[in-house]
Amino acid sequence: MKRIPPAWLLALLLTACFTLATLFVPRAASWNGQSQSDNVFKLLFGEGRRLFGNEMFIMADAYFHSGYYPSIFDRPVTDHDVAERSEGTTGNEDSTSDDFLGPPPDWIAALDREFVPNRHTHLNSGGPTGDERDSSVEEILPWLKLATDMNPQYVDAYRVGYYWLSRLHKPEDARDFLLEGVRNNPGSSELLFDLGTLYNKDFHDANRARNVWLAAWRTWQARDTNARTSVEGKRLGDDITINLAHLEETAGNWPQAVRYLEMTKQTSPNPDAIQKQIDDAKKKVTGGE
Amino acid sequence: MNTIWALAGVVIKELYRRKDFYVLFVLTALITVAAGSVRFFQDPNIVRYVKDLCLLLIWVSALLITIATAARQIPAERENRTIFPLLAKPVTRGQVILGKFLGCWLASGIALIVFYAFFAVVTGSREHYWPVLDYFQAILLQWIMLGIVTAMTLLGSIVFAAPSSTVTIVFIVVAGILFLGRHLNTVALHNPEPLRSVIYTIYFIIPHLELFDVRERVVNDWGLVGWLDCGLATLYAAAYTGLFLLLTWLAFRRKSLT
């Protein structure tokens, strides 16, 4: 029998290995319930990765303060400034992380403070230089993305990420980030509301905004009573209906706008102002007729 | 002084003959480049997380190189019995200590320059500016801190039985100081007497290595630390380095070499 050269044997074995790999690798991925959408953190940490989600969000807040941030030994931060979004209160004066250090208790602490970030600043207002042209708020984004990779149910991280991406004039990225959030949290009225706002403000797509806000309204109504009557729940309900009302006003659909305003009035903390808007809208309805 | 320089030269040659430095440098470079290649939201300006990671790796690598190099100097001389011909020459034990210290300290300085050159290239390629003075100050402060660590490790290598135990103990002590050192006064205030006084005493006795850690400032572009404060920190480090070297010499002077 003719002897096969070792190089041929090697090539044969390599081909066999490659062929078998193409057959087995896709199957092996499904053996442990893994799919292509699984990120590296899920592969490494499993469900335990969710524990790190909040830590990543805190890192985003620490970056937002350019490193001036309390440790576990200092007074804890009750509100994350990076998340003070829709109210626009990202100024320094309301911050709970401001001046957490107090006066230095001894000379070592006094010297130490010269070697670490020692002033309360925000990245969106220029950071340590205070020059708004130096704003580098995009530096918080990796941590927000990691927070959602670690914990895909971290709705606040998606919302904060959307807000800053929108402020950075990256509507496509903001939309993709929110859509990822909606895929991972299908019943989240907050994310659907933000997505509607994005479509309305950044894409000027009223039809899509209306559809998404209506979906947000449906998911809000499907919530239990406690979730709807809580302060945040009521505010979200107001936001959805008032935005739908304004959308209908812009479209000239006044009867529908009145209906949404009446829904807003039921939960609004300021029903008189809403009533005034209803009266104005009703005048438009009768004027139009 | 020539004797001390000659001893130091041997230690520096050891740095580039051994694999520790190359392995740690390649590891640091690979991890940094891998992290830097990730694009978040297609934004090429995002760089601080890369700086943060790279500086952390540089700190860990520099500590490992310094502690591992310093810990084996005197035990290796004793084990190989090269300490006898060394001391038979007109070399005192004090000169051996100083030569070994200077060599380890300079070797760590050379390693730092290589690491920071890589750091500057990586961050400069993303940020398109090079804050040279900031990096110089960061290297200088870290190098001064490594002087304390080198002296502390040399003392450990005389006191403890094996280099492995010296490396482990010194690394734990250094990591403990870096993580907890600046918070011990806060911890003390939350404890009753006499524990409060004990913790406060520890707080004032330990060398505060964390003073020399300006990574947060470099990462977040806080600018330079005042040179007067740097000078004070240098004096502080010089005092502790001197103290540890003196203790090393006192322990080594009476140590049996057989």
Side-chain angles (χ1 to χ4, degrees), chain A residues 59 63 65-68 71 73-74 105-109 111-112 114-119 121 123 128 136 138-139 141-143 145-146 165 170 173 177, chain B residues 40-43 45-49 52 141 180 182-183 185-187 200 203-204 208 210-211 213-214 216-217 219-222 225 229-230 232-233 236:
Chain A
M59 280 301 288
Y63 267 49
H65 289 96
S66 297
Y68 180 76
S71 68
F73 299 100
D74 300 304
D106 50 70
W107 68 269
I108 294 174
L111 185 62
D112 181 52
E114 299 303 321
F115 293 83
V116 290
N118 50 16
R119 248 179 322 113
T121 59
L123 269 187
S136 48
E138 66 274 5
E139 298 290 353
L141 295 175
W143 299 106
K145 180 77 179 88
L146 286 174
L165 283 166
K170 291 172 175 286
D173 289 321
F177 195 47
Chain B
F40 288 96
F41 304 107
Q42 288 88 45
D43 194 326
N45 297 322
I46 297 174
V47 68
R48 288 191 187 173
Y49 79 97
D52 213 346
L141 286 167
L180 297 173
R182 66 162 56 100
H183 304 294
N185 54 352
T186 317
V187 174
Y200 244 121
Y203 173 75
F204 281 109
H208 283 270
E210 75 280 0
L211 280 178
D213 182 1
V214 288
E216 294 259 4
R217 290 188 72 96
V219 168
N220 295 294
D221 297 332
W222 278 86
V225 178
D229 296 313
C230 283
L232 284 172
Y236 178 82

Side-chain angles (χ1 to χ4, degrees), chain A residues 240-280:
Chain A
I240 297 169
T241 49
I242 200 88
N243 275 286
L244 278 167
H246 289 157
L247 206 63
E248 298 304 339
E249 281 173 10
T250 313
N253 193 357
W254 295 102
Q256 189 63 34
V258 169
R259 273 195 286 279
Y260 284 131
L261 285 169
E262 278 169 349
M263 285 154 82
T264 311
K265 192 186 158 190
Q266 289 170 15
T267 52
S268 173
N270 197 358
D272 295 339
I274 302 295
Q275 184 57 49
K276 193 173 174 300
Q277 287 187 46
I278 292 171
D279 295 340
D280 290 344

Side-chain angles (χ1 to χ4, degrees), chain A residues 6-63:
Chain A
W8 282 102
L9 267 177
L10 190 67
L12 187 70
L13 281 170
L14 279 172
T15 313
C17 286
F18 179 77
T19 313
L20 286 172
T22 57
L23 282 172
F24 284 120
V25 168
R27 286 162 191 263
S30 63
W31 290 344
N32 295 325
Q34 297 163 0
S35 67
Q36 285 185 334
S37 62
D38 288 350
N39 60 45
V40 68
F41 301 110
K42 189 168 183 187
L43 292 172
L44 283 174
F45 303 116
E47 291 305 308
R49 76 193 189 284
R50 291 173 197 279
L51 296 170
F52 300 106
N54 196 44
E55 293 308 309
M56 297 296 133
F57 192 76
I58 288 171
M59 280 301 288
D61 202 27
Y63 267 49

